[in-house]
Amino acid sequence: MPGTTVVMVLDRDDPKRGAITILSSPQEAARVAETLLEAGTELERIRVFDATELSMKVEHKPVVSLGDTADDEPPPAYEEPIVEPEAELEPEPFVVSSSDPIEEASEPLVRNGIRFSSLFKSDDL
C-alpha cells in the first residue's frame, strides 16, 4: 500500500473511534467525502489522510499468570512428544536402609573446611 488515501468518519460518541475506508487515489477519496456530506454526515466528523504503510515487527513475549493458591498448576509451556519405548523396561528398586548413618556437618554452611559465604566477594572493596 505505498501511497494510499484514507477516509475516516469519526464516531459521534467517541471521537477516537470511527469507520475507515482505504482508497488508491485522492480523487476516489474526494468522491467518498462528497457522498458522505450529501448523506448528512457532519464535516467535523470526516477526516482524510494521505497515508504510507509502515513495516511492523512482532515479538512474542512471555505471559505470566499468578494463581490464588499453591494448588494451581501452570499450563505446560510445550507439549512433549510421545515416545513409545521399543521394549518395556522394568524399573530398578531403590532401597534405603534406616541403618545408614546420616552425617551432619559440625558447623552449618561449611563443607570440607570452606565456609559458604567466603566464596563470594564483598561489594565494599
Side-chain angles (χ1 to χ4, degrees):
M1 260 199 296
T4 59
T5 304
V6 177
V7 177
M8 180 175 185
V9 180
L10 302 176
D11 190 22
R12 283 190 178 109
D13 298 329
D14 187 2
K16 293 182 181 180
R17 299 186 185 273
I20 295 176
T21 305
I22 299 173
L23 304 157
S24 60
S25 71
Q27 293 79 17
E28 291 179 42
R31 282 193 291 275
V32 169
E34 289 172 3
T35 305
L36 289 168
L37 289 169
E38 289 173 356
T41 305
E42 297 89 11
L43 177 63
E44 296 80 28
R45 292 180 46 217
I46 300 173
R47 301 285 188 269
V48 181
F49 300 97
D50 184 21
T52 303
E53 184 177 5
L54 300 175
S55 62
M56 179 173 59
K57 180 180 178 183
V58 177
E59 293 183 15
H60 296 281
K61 297 184 180 188
V63 177
V64 176
S65 297
L66 302 177
D68 293 339
T69 64
D71 297 337
D72 292 343
E73 291 185 23
Y78 68 96
E79 292 186 24
E80 294 185 20
I82 299 172
V83 178
E84 295 184 20
E86 295 177 11
E88 297 227 1
L89 301 175
E90 292 291 323
E92 294 183 20
F94 181 74
V95 179
V96 177
S97 172
S98 61
S99 63
D100 291 341
I102 299 174
E103 296 181 19
E104 291 189 23
S106 58
E107 288 185 55
L109 303 174
V110 174
R111 181 180 287 171
N112 298 333
I114 300 174
R115 186 167 205 46
F116 179 73
S117 62
S118 68
L119 299 174
F120 299 97
K121 292 185 179 181
S122 173
D123 288 340
D124 296 336
L125 296 178

